Coordinates of all heavy atoms in Angstrom, one line a residue:
M1 N -79.4 91.2 93.9 CA -79.8 90.5 95.2 C -81.1 89.7 95.0 O -82.1 90.2 94.4 CB -80.0 91.6 96.2 CG -80.4 91.1 97.6 SD -80.5 92.5 98.6 CE -80.5 91.6 100.2
K2 N -81.0 88.5 95.5 CA -82.2 87.6 95.3 C -82.5 87.0 96.7 O -81.5 86.5 97.4 CB -81.8 86.5 94.3 CG -82.9 85.7 93.9 CD -82.3 84.7 92.8 CE -83.5 84.2 92.0 NZ -83.1 83.3 91.0
V3 N -83.7 87.1 97.1 CA -84.2 86.6 98.3 C -85.3 85.6 98.3 O -86.3 85.8 97.5 CB -84.6 87.7 99.3 CG1 -85.0 87.1 100.7 CG2 -83.5 88.7 99.6
N4 N -85.1 84.4 98.8 CA -86.2 83.4 98.7 C -86.7 83.1 100.1 O -85.8 82.9 101.0 CB -85.7 82.0 98.1 CG -85.3 82.2 96.6 OD1 -86.0 82.9 95.9 ND2 -84.4 81.4 96.1
V5 N -88.0 83.2 100.2 CA -88.6 83.0 101.5 C -89.6 81.7 101.4 O -90.4 81.8 100.5 CB -89.4 84.1 102.0 CG1 -90.0 83.8 103.4 CG2 -88.4 85.3 102.2
E6 N -89.4 80.8 102.1 CA -90.2 79.5 102.1 C -91.1 79.6 103.4 O -90.5 79.6 104.4 CB -89.5 78.3 101.9 CG -88.9 78.1 100.5 CD -88.3 76.7 100.4 OE1 -88.8 75.7 101.0 OE2 -87.2 76.6 99.7
I7 N -92.4 79.4 103.2 CA -93.2 79.4 104.3 C -93.9 78.0 104.3 O -94.6 77.7 103.3 CB -94.3 80.5 104.3 CG1 -93.5 81.8 104.4 CG2 -95.2 80.4 105.5 CD1 -94.5 83.0 104.2
D8 N -93.8 77.2 105.3 CA -94.4 75.8 105.4 C -95.7 76.0 106.3 O -95.6 76.0 107.5 CB -93.4 74.9 105.9 CG -94.0 73.4 105.9 OD1 -94.9 73.2 105.1 OD2 -93.6 72.7 106.7
C9 N -96.9 76.0 105.6 CA -98.2 76.1 106.4 C -99.2 75.5 105.6 O -99.2 75.3 104.3 CB -98.4 77.5 106.7 SG -98.9 78.6 105.4
T10 N -100.3 75.1 106.2 CA -101.5 74.6 105.5 C -102.3 75.6 104.8 O -102.1 76.9 105.3 CB -102.3 73.9 106.5 OG1 -102.8 74.7 107.5 CG2 -101.5 72.7 107.3
P11 N -103.1 75.4 104.0 CA -104.1 76.3 103.4 C -104.8 77.1 104.5 O -105.1 78.3 104.3 CB -104.9 75.6 102.4 CG -104.1 74.4 102.0 CD -103.3 74.1 103.2
L12 N -105.3 76.4 105.5 CA -106.1 76.9 106.5 C -105.3 77.9 107.3 O -105.7 79.1 107.6 CB -106.7 75.9 107.5 CG -107.4 76.4 108.7 CD1 -108.6 77.1 108.2 CD2 -107.8 75.3 109.6
E13 N -104.0 77.6 107.6 CA -103.1 78.5 108.3 C -102.9 79.8 107.5 O -102.8 81.0 108.0 CB -101.8 77.9 108.7 CG -102.1 76.8 109.7 CD -100.8 76.0 109.9 OE1 -99.9 75.9 109.0 OE2 -100.6 75.3 111.0
A14 N -102.7 79.7 106.2 CA -102.4 80.9 105.3 C -103.7 81.7 105.3 O -103.6 83.0 105.4 CB -102.1 80.3 104.0
R15 N -104.9 81.1 105.2 CA -106.1 81.9 105.2 C -106.2 82.7 106.4 O -106.6 83.9 106.5 CB -107.4 81.1 104.9 CG -107.5 80.7 103.4 CD -108.9 80.2 103.2 NE -109.2 78.9 104.0 CZ -109.0 77.7 103.5 NH1 -108.4 77.5 102.4 NH2 -109.2 76.7 104.3
Q16 N -105.9 82.0 107.6 CA -106.0 82.7 108.8 C -105.0 83.8 109.0 O -105.3 84.9 109.5 CB -105.9 81.7 110.0 CG -107.0 80.7 110.1 CD -106.7 79.7 111.1 OE1 -105.7 79.4 111.6 NE2 -107.9 79.0 111.6
F17 N -103.8 83.6 108.5 CA -102.8 84.7 108.6 C -103.1 85.9 107.8 O -102.9 87.0 108.2 CB -101.4 84.0 108.0 CG -100.3 85.1 108.0 CD1 -99.6 85.4 109.2 CD2 -99.9 85.6 106.8 CE1 -98.6 86.2 109.1 CE2 -98.9 86.5 106.7 CZ -98.2 86.9 107.9
F18 N -103.7 85.7 106.6 CA -104.1 86.9 105.8 C -105.5 87.4 106.1 O -105.9 88.3 105.5 CB -104.1 86.5 104.3 CG -102.7 86.3 103.7 CD1 -102.2 85.1 103.4 CD2 -101.9 87.4 103.6 CE1 -101.0 84.9 102.8 CE2 -100.6 87.2 103.1 CZ -100.1 86.0 102.8
G19 N -106.1 86.7 107.1 CA -107.4 87.2 107.6 C -108.6 86.9 106.6 O -109.7 87.6 106.7
L20 N -108.4 85.8 105.8 CA -109.5 85.4 104.9 C -110.5 84.6 105.7 O -110.1 83.9 106.7 CB -108.9 84.6 103.8 CG -108.0 85.4 102.8 CD1 -107.3 84.6 101.8 CD2 -108.8 86.6 102.2
P21 N -111.8 84.5 105.3 CA -112.8 83.7 106.0 C -112.5 82.2 105.9 O -111.9 81.7 104.9 CB -114.1 84.2 105.5 CG -113.7 84.6 104.1 CD -112.4 85.2 104.2
D22 N -112.9 81.4 106.8 CA -112.9 80.0 106.7 C -114.1 79.5 105.8 O -115.2 79.6 106.2 CB -113.0 79.3 108.1 CG -112.8 77.8 108.0 OD1 -112.3 77.3 107.0 OD2 -113.2 77.2 109.0
V23 N -113.8 79.0 104.6 CA -114.9 78.6 103.8 C -115.2 77.1 103.8 O -116.0 76.6 103.1 CB -114.5 78.9 102.4 CG1 -114.4 80.4 102.1 CG2 -113.1 78.2 101.9
Q24 N -114.5 76.4 104.8 CA -114.9 74.8 104.9 C -116.3 74.5 105.2 O -116.8 73.7 104.5 CB -113.9 74.3 105.9 CG -113.9 72.8 106.1 CD -113.5 72.1 104.8 OE1 -112.5 72.6 104.2 NE2 -114.1 71.0 104.5
P25 N -116.9 75.3 106.1 CA -118.3 74.9 106.3 C -119.3 75.1 105.0 O -120.1 74.4 104.8 CB -118.8 75.9 107.5 CG -117.6 76.2 108.2 CD -116.5 76.3 107.1
M26 N -118.9 76.2 104.3 CA -119.7 76.5 103.2 C -119.4 75.4 102.0 O -120.4 74.9 101.4 CB -119.4 77.8 102.5 CG -120.2 78.1 101.3 SD -119.7 79.7 100.5 CE -118.0 79.3 99.9
Q27 N -118.1 75.0 101.9 CA -117.8 73.9 100.9 C -118.5 72.6 101.4 O -119.0 71.9 100.4 CB -116.3 73.7 101.0 CG -115.6 74.8 100.3 CD -114.1 74.8 100.3 OE1 -113.5 74.0 101.2 NE2 -113.4 75.4 99.3
T28 N -118.5 72.3 102.6 CA -119.1 71.0 103.1 C -120.7 71.1 102.8 O -121.2 70.1 102.3 CB -119.0 70.9 104.5 OG1 -117.5 70.8 104.8 CG2 -119.5 69.6 105.1
A29 N -121.3 72.2 103.1 CA -122.7 72.3 102.8 C -123.1 72.2 101.3 O -124.1 71.5 100.9 CB -123.3 73.7 103.4
V30 N -122.2 72.8 100.5 CA -122.4 72.8 99.1 C -122.3 71.3 98.5 O -123.1 70.8 97.7 CB -121.6 73.7 98.3 CG1 -121.6 73.5 96.8 CG2 -122.0 75.2 98.6
M31 N -121.2 70.6 99.0 CA -121.0 69.3 98.6 C -122.1 68.3 99.0 O -122.6 67.3 98.3 CB -119.5 68.8 99.0 CG -118.5 69.5 98.4 SD -118.5 69.4 96.6 CE -118.2 67.8 96.2
D32 N -122.6 68.5 100.3 CA -123.7 67.8 100.8 C -124.9 67.9 100.0 O -125.7 66.9 99.6 CB -123.9 68.0 102.3 CG -122.9 67.6 103.2 OD1 -122.1 66.6 102.8 OD2 -122.8 68.0 104.3
K33 N -125.2 69.1 99.6 CA -126.4 69.4 98.8 C -126.3 68.8 97.5 O -127.3 68.3 96.8 CB -126.5 70.9 98.7 CG -127.8 71.3 97.8 CD -129.1 71.1 98.5 CE -130.2 71.7 97.7 NZ -131.5 71.4 98.2
L34 N -125.1 68.8 96.8 CA -124.8 68.3 95.5 C -125.0 66.8 95.6 O -125.6 66.2 94.6 CB -123.4 68.7 95.1 CG -123.0 68.1 93.7 CD1 -123.8 68.8 92.6 CD2 -121.5 68.6 93.3
Q35 N -124.4 66.2 96.6 CA -124.5 64.7 96.8 C -126.1 64.4 96.8 O -126.4 63.4 96.2 CB -123.8 64.3 98.0 CG -123.9 62.7 98.1 CD -123.0 62.3 99.3 OE1 -122.5 63.0 100.1 NE2 -122.8 61.0 99.4
Q36 N -126.8 65.1 97.7 CA -128.2 64.7 97.8 C -128.9 64.9 96.4 O -129.8 64.0 96.1 CB -128.9 65.6 98.8 CG -128.5 65.5 100.2 CD -129.0 66.5 101.1 OE1 -129.7 67.4 100.7 NE2 -128.8 66.5 102.4
Q37 N -128.7 65.9 95.6 CA -129.3 66.0 94.3 C -128.9 65.0 93.4 O -129.7 64.5 92.6 CB -129.0 67.4 93.7 CG -129.6 68.6 94.4 CD -129.3 69.9 93.8 OE1 -128.2 70.0 93.2 NE2 -130.0 70.9 94.0
M38 N -127.6 64.5 93.4 CA -127.2 63.5 92.5 C -127.8 62.2 92.8 O -128.3 61.5 92.0 CB -125.7 63.4 92.6 CG -125.0 64.5 91.9 SD -123.1 64.3 92.0 CE -122.8 63.0 91.1
L39 N -127.8 61.8 94.2 CA -128.6 60.6 94.5 C -130.0 60.7 94.3 O -130.6 59.6 93.9 CB -128.3 60.5 96.0 CG -126.9 60.1 96.4 CD1 -126.7 60.0 98.0 CD2 -126.4 58.8 95.7
A40 N -130.7 61.8 94.3 CA -132.0 62.0 94.0 C -132.4 61.7 92.5 O -133.4 61.1 92.1 CB -132.7 63.2 94.6
N41 N -131.4 62.1 91.8 CA -131.7 62.1 90.3 C -131.0 60.9 89.6 O -131.1 60.7 88.4 CB -131.1 63.3 89.7 CG -131.9 64.5 89.9 OD1 -133.1 64.3 90.2 ND2 -131.3 65.7 90.1
I42 N -130.2 60.1 90.4 CA -129.5 58.9 89.7 C -130.5 57.9 89.3 O -130.2 57.3 88.2 CB -128.5 58.3 90.8 CG1 -127.5 57.5 89.9 CG2 -129.1 57.4 91.7 CD1 -126.2 57.5 90.5
E43 N -131.6 57.7 89.8 CA -132.7 56.7 89.3 C -133.2 57.2 88.0 O -133.5 56.3 87.2 CB -133.8 56.7 90.4 CG -134.7 55.5 90.1 CD -134.1 54.2 90.3 OE1 -133.0 54.1 91.1 OE2 -134.3 53.3 89.5
K44 N -133.2 58.6 87.6 CA -133.8 59.0 86.4 C -132.9 58.6 85.2 O -133.3 58.5 84.1 CB -133.9 60.5 86.4 CG -135.0 60.9 87.4 CD -135.1 62.5 87.4 CE -136.1 62.9 88.4 NZ -136.2 64.3 88.4
V45 N -131.5 58.3 85.5 CA -130.6 58.0 84.3 C -130.1 56.5 84.5 O -129.2 56.1 83.7 CB -129.4 58.9 84.4 CG1 -129.8 60.3 84.2 CG2 -128.6 58.8 85.7
S46 N -130.9 55.7 85.1 CA -130.7 54.4 85.1 C -131.0 53.8 83.7 O -131.9 54.3 83.0 CB -131.4 53.5 86.1 OG -132.7 53.6 85.9
P47 N -130.4 52.7 83.3 CA -130.8 52.2 81.9 C -132.2 51.8 81.7 O -132.9 52.1 80.7 CB -129.9 50.9 81.8 CG -128.8 51.2 82.6 CD -129.3 52.0 83.8
E48 N -132.8 51.3 82.8 CA -134.3 50.9 82.7 C -135.1 52.2 82.5 O -136.1 52.2 81.7 CB -134.7 50.1 84.0 CG -134.0 48.7 84.1 CD -132.7 48.9 84.8 OE1 -132.4 49.9 85.4 OE2 -131.9 47.9 84.7
A49 N -134.8 53.2 83.3 CA -135.7 54.5 83.3 C -135.5 55.1 81.9 O -136.4 55.6 81.3 CB -135.2 55.4 84.4
L50 N -134.3 55.1 81.4 CA -134.0 55.7 80.1 C -134.8 55.1 79.0 O -135.4 55.6 78.2 CB -132.5 55.8 79.8 CG -131.6 56.8 80.5 CD1 -130.3 56.6 80.2 CD2 -132.1 58.2 80.2
M51 N -134.7 53.6 78.9 CA -135.4 52.9 78.0 C -136.9 53.1 78.0 O -137.6 53.2 77.0 CB -135.0 51.4 78.0 CG -133.7 51.1 77.8 SD -133.1 51.6 76.1 CE -134.0 50.3 75.2
Q52 N -137.4 53.1 79.3 CA -138.9 53.3 79.4 C -139.4 54.8 79.0 O -140.3 54.8 78.3 CB -139.2 53.2 81.0 CG -140.7 53.3 81.2 CD -141.0 53.1 82.7 OE1 -140.2 53.1 83.5 NE2 -142.3 52.9 83.0
S53 N -138.5 55.7 79.3 CA -138.8 57.1 78.8 C -138.8 57.2 77.3 O -139.5 57.9 76.7 CB -138.0 58.1 79.6 OG -136.6 58.1 79.1
W54 N -137.8 56.5 76.6 CA -137.7 56.6 75.3 C -138.8 55.8 74.5 O -139.2 56.3 73.4 CB -136.3 56.0 74.8 CG -135.0 56.8 75.1 CD1 -135.2 58.1 75.6 CD2 -133.8 56.3 75.2 NE1 -133.9 58.5 75.8 CE2 -133.0 57.4 75.5 CE3 -133.3 55.1 74.8 CZ2 -131.6 57.3 75.6 CZ3 -131.8 55.1 74.8 CH2 -131.0 56.2 75.2
F55 N -139.3 54.8 75.1 CA -140.3 53.9 74.3 C -141.7 54.1 74.8 O -142.6 53.5 74.2 CB -139.9 52.4 74.5 CG -138.6 52.0 73.8 CD1 -137.6 51.5 74.6 CD2 -138.4 52.3 72.4 CE1 -136.4 51.1 74.0 CE2 -137.2 51.9 71.8 CZ -136.2 51.5 72.6
T56 N -142.0 55.1 75.7 CA -143.4 55.2 76.1 C -144.1 56.1 75.2 O -145.4 56.0 75.1 CB -143.4 55.8 77.6 OG1 -142.7 57.1 77.5 CG2 -142.9 55.0 78.6
F57 N -143.6 56.9 74.4 CA -144.4 57.9 73.5 C -144.9 57.2 72.3 O -145.8 57.7 71.7 CB -143.6 59.1 73.2 CG -142.3 58.9 72.5 CD1 -142.2 58.9 71.1 CD2 -141.1 58.7 73.2 CE1 -141.2 58.7 70.4 CE2 -140.0 58.5 72.5 CZ -139.9 58.5 71.2
D58 N -144.3 56.2 71.8 CA -144.7 55.5 70.6 C -144.5 53.9 70.7 O -143.4 53.5 70.8 CB -143.9 56.0 69.5 CG -144.4 55.5 68.0 OD1 -145.4 54.8 68.0 OD2 -143.7 55.8 67.1
P59 N -145.6 53.2 70.7 CA -145.5 51.7 70.8 C -144.6 51.1 69.8 O -144.0 50.0 70.1 CB -146.9 51.2 70.9 CG -147.8 52.5 70.6 CD -147.0 53.6 70.6
K60 N -144.6 51.6 68.7 CA -143.8 51.0 67.6 C -142.4 51.4 67.5 O -141.6 51.0 66.5 CB -144.6 51.3 66.2 CG -145.9 50.7 66.1 CD -146.4 50.8 64.8 CE -147.8 50.2 64.6 NZ -148.3 50.3 63.2
I61 N -142.0 52.2 68.4 CA -140.6 52.7 68.3 C -139.6 51.7 68.4 O -138.5 51.7 67.9 CB -140.3 53.9 69.4 CG1 -139.0 54.6 69.1 CG2 -140.2 53.4 70.8 CD1 -139.3 55.8 68.2
A62 N -139.8 50.7 69.3 CA -138.9 49.5 69.5 C -138.7 48.9 68.1 O -137.5 48.5 67.8 CB -139.4 48.5 70.6
E63 N -139.8 48.6 67.4 CA -139.7 48.0 66.1 C -138.8 48.9 65.1 O -138.0 48.3 64.3 CB -141.1 47.8 65.6 CG -141.2 47.1 64.1 CD -142.6 46.9 63.6 OE1 -143.5 46.6 64.5 OE2 -142.8 47.1 62.4
R64 N -139.1 50.2 65.2 CA -138.3 51.1 64.4 C -136.9 51.1 64.7 O -136.0 51.2 63.8 CB -138.9 52.5 64.4 CG -140.3 52.6 63.8 CD -141.0 53.9 63.9 NE -142.3 54.0 63.6 CZ -143.1 54.8 63.9 NH1 -142.8 55.8 64.6 NH2 -144.3 54.8 63.4
F65 N -136.5 51.0 65.9 CA -135.1 50.9 66.3 C -134.5 49.7 65.9 O -133.4 49.7 65.3 CB -134.9 51.0 67.9 CG -134.7 52.4 68.4 CD1 -135.7 53.0 69.1 CD2 -133.5 53.0 68.2 CE1 -135.5 54.3 69.6 CE2 -133.3 54.3 68.7 CZ -134.4 54.9 69.4
G66 N -135.3 48.6 66.0 CA -134.7 47.3 65.4 C -134.4 47.3 64.0 O -133.5 47.0 63.4
D67 N -135.4 48.0 63.2 CA -135.2 48.2 61.7 C -134.0 49.0 61.4 O -133.2 48.7 60.6 CB -136.4 48.8 61.1 CG -137.7 47.9 61.1 OD1 -137.4 46.6 61.2 OD2 -138.8 48.3 60.9
M68 N -133.9 50.1 62.2 CA -132.7 51.0 62.1 C -131.4 50.2 62.2 O -130.4 50.4 61.4 CB -132.8 52.3 63.0 CG -131.7 53.2 62.8 SD -131.8 54.5 64.0 CE -131.4 53.7 65.5
F69 N -131.2 49.4 63.3 CA -130.0 48.8 63.6 C -129.8 47.7 62.5 O -128.6 47.5 62.1 CB -130.0 48.2 64.9 CG -130.0 49.2 66.0 CD1 -130.9 49.2 67.1 CD2 -128.9 50.1 66.1 CE1 -130.7 50.2 68.1 CE2 -128.8 51.1 67.1 CZ -129.7 51.1 68.0
V70 N -130.7 47.0 62.0 CA -130.6 46.0 61.0 C -130.2 46.7 59.7 O -129.3 46.3 59.1 CB -131.9 45.2 60.8 CG1 -131.8 44.3 59.5 CG2 -132.1 44.3 61.9
T71 N -130.8 47.8 59.4 CA -130.4 48.5 58.2 C -128.9 49.1 58.2 O -128.2 49.0 57.3 CB -131.3 49.6 57.9 OG1 -132.6 49.1 57.8 CG2 -131.0 50.4 56.6
M72 N -128.5 49.6 59.4 CA -127.2 50.2 59.6 C -126.2 49.1 59.6 O -125.1 49.3 59.1 CB -127.1 50.9 60.9 CG -127.9 52.2 60.9 SD -128.0 53.1 62.5 CE -126.3 52.8 63.3
A73 N -126.5 47.9 60.1 CA -125.5 46.9 60.1 C -125.4 46.2 58.7 O -124.5 45.4 58.6 CB -125.9 45.8 61.1
G74 N -126.3 46.5 57.8 CA -126.3 45.9 56.5 C -126.8 44.4 56.5 O -126.5 43.6 55.5
L75 N -127.7 44.1 57.4 CA -128.1 42.7 57.5 C -129.4 42.5 56.8 O -129.9 41.3 56.8 CB -128.3 42.3 59.0 CG -127.0 42.4 59.9 CD1 -127.3 42.1 61.3 CD2 -125.9 41.4 59.3
G76 N -129.9 43.5 56.3 CA -131.1 43.3 55.5 C -131.8 44.7 55.3 O -131.4 45.6 55.8
G77 N -133.0 44.7 54.6 CA -133.7 45.8 54.4 C -134.7 46.1 55.6 O -134.6 45.3 56.7
S78 N -135.5 47.1 55.5 CA -136.5 47.3 56.5 C -137.7 46.2 56.4 O -137.9 45.7 55.5 CB -137.0 48.8 56.3 OG -137.7 48.9 55.3
R79 N -138.4 46.3 57.4 CA -139.5 45.3 57.4 C -140.6 45.8 56.5 O -141.3 45.0 55.9 CB -140.2 45.2 58.9 CG -139.3 44.5 59.8 CD -139.8 44.4 61.2 NE -138.9 43.8 62.0 CZ -139.0 43.8 63.4 NH1 -140.0 44.3 63.9 NH2 -138.1 43.2 64.2
A80 N -140.7 47.1 56.2 CA -141.7 47.6 55.2 C -141.3 47.0 53.9 O -142.2 46.7 53.0 CB -141.7 49.1 55.3
A81 N -140.1 46.9 53.6 CA -139.6 46.4 52.3 C -139.8 44.9 52.2 O -140.2 44.4 51.2 CB -138.1 46.8 52.0
D82 N -139.7 44.3 53.3 CA -139.9 42.7 53.4 C -141.3 42.4 53.2 O -141.7 41.3 52.7 CB -139.4 42.2 54.6 CG -137.8 42.3 54.8 OD1 -137.2 42.6 53.8 OD2 -137.4 42.2 56.0
K83 N -142.2 43.3 53.6 CA -143.7 43.0 53.4 C -144.3 43.1 52.1 O -145.3 42.6 51.7 CB -144.5 44.0 54.4 CG -144.3 43.7 55.8 CD -145.0 44.6 56.7 CE -144.7 44.4 58.2 NZ -145.4 45.3 59.0
K84 N -143.5 43.8 51.1 CA -143.9 44.0 49.8 C -143.8 42.8 48.9 O -143.1 41.9 49.0 CB -143.2 45.2 49.1 CG -143.6 46.5 49.7 CD -142.9 47.6 48.9 CE -143.3 48.9 49.6 NZ -142.6 50.0 48.8

């Protein structure tokens, strides 16, 4: 014997039928908080902010990055080798 029962209801109606709490206000609050944090931190990951944070600790780092890319591309040696 096989019995199939189909119930057509929304998730909210199913939660209410089984006596589960309504979690919609909590979900809304969590998502609002997450959105606020993301918007507050989005400026920290902008390309300008990243480049500034990478290059502030050593003034010659830009030159070193340039040397590294030139060496990796095989376009020439490092500037230290060119000075010799």
Side-chain angles (χ1 to χ4, degrees):
M1 177 179 196
K2 193 176 200 180
V3 176
N4 290 331
V5 178
E6 286 188 34
I7 300 174
D8 186 22
C9 67
T10 66
L12 177 62
E13 291 170 339
R15 282 194 300 269
Q16 289 173 344
F17 177 77
F18 288 111
L20 298 173
D22 183 19
V23 294
Q24 185 65 34
M26 181 184 68
Q27 289 174 335
T28 303
V30 168
M31 291 305 293
D32 288 342
K33 180 73 173 173
L34 181 63
Q35 183 178 8
Q36 290 172 359
Q37 288 177 344
M38 288 178 69
L39 291 175
N41 291 328
I42 199 149
E43 193 63 35
K44 294 179 183 176
V45 293
S46 69
E48 296 85 14
L50 286 175
M51 293 301 285
Q52 184 179 13
S53 68
W54 289 348
F55 292 125
T56 54
F57 60 91
D58 186 2
K60 293 186 180 183
I61 193 92
E63 183 179 321
R64 291 180 187 158
F65 267 109
D67 290 344
M68 179 183 68
F69 289 127
V70 167
T71 303
M72 285 174 39
L75 300 175
S78 68
R79 290 185 184 162
D82 293 341
K83 292 180 182 176
K84 289 184 180 182

